[in-house]
Amino acid sequence: MEQGFGKACRLLKTEEFSSVFALRKQRSREFLQVLRLENNVQGFARLGLVVSKKAAKRANRRNYMKRVIREWFRRHQCVLPPHDFVVRVRKAFDKDSAPQARQELCEMMLPPTAQKTKE
């Protein structure tokens, strides 16, 4: 699979998000919460994002957080298991705390064998 982030790699429909939320396999850290649905039909990882106004009032801050998460996913999708992931921002992060948020993504989404070879 290429390293793009096309429509095939995204959760777009309400029922796709609902199925992940219904299963409730989740992990949480300070900045992020990751919910996952194992073994999706597509055979590759897909991503859905939830960044609420409660986490960040300004749209430019919410967009920045989504960009950081999407970029991390795009760069690591080849080593991710074939699951549907929904990443929910629990606490806003900025350029100074973005490395910590990326580290949280590594801990919660990558399989243990791939964590040793992460960037």
Side-chain angles (χ1 to χ4, degrees), residues 25-118:
K25 285 196 173 190
Q26 64 183 8
R27 292 179 172 179
S28 296
R29 298 288 188 273
E30 181 182 357
F31 291 109
L32 303 170
Q33 176 184 34
V34 176
L35 298 100
R36 74 179 193 281
L37 175 65
E38 296 179 353
N39 300 323
N40 64 17
V41 180
Q42 286 73 23
F44 53 86
R46 297 189 308 164
L47 177 69
L49 293 169
V50 178
V51 185
S52 68
K53 286 185 181 179
K54 185 176 181 182
K57 299 266 188 253
R58 306 285 302 212
N60 61 343
R61 293 193 66 207
R62 291 193 305 273
N63 291 338
Y64 173 76
M65 290 183 277
K66 288 191 274 188
R67 262 194 320 275
V68 167
I69 295 167
R70 277 194 305 260
E71 179 65 14
W72 183 92
F73 179 83
R74 187 189 67 77
R75 296 181 79 193
H76 293 88
Q77 67 185 354
C78 58
V79 294
L80 288 172
H83 299 192
D84 288 343
F85 295 98
V86 173
V87 178
R88 178 185 287 169
V89 175
R90 297 180 66 206
K91 179 180 166 187
F93 59 87
D94 55 10
K95 290 181 183 180
D96 295 331
S97 52
Q100 184 180 349
R102 289 186 192 99
Q103 179 62 34
E104 289 180 7
L105 284 169
C106 286
E107 293 169 2
M108 292 186 288
M109 291 177 71
L110 287 177
T113 56
Q115 288 182 13
K116 295 174 186 170
T117 61
K118 69 176 176 18

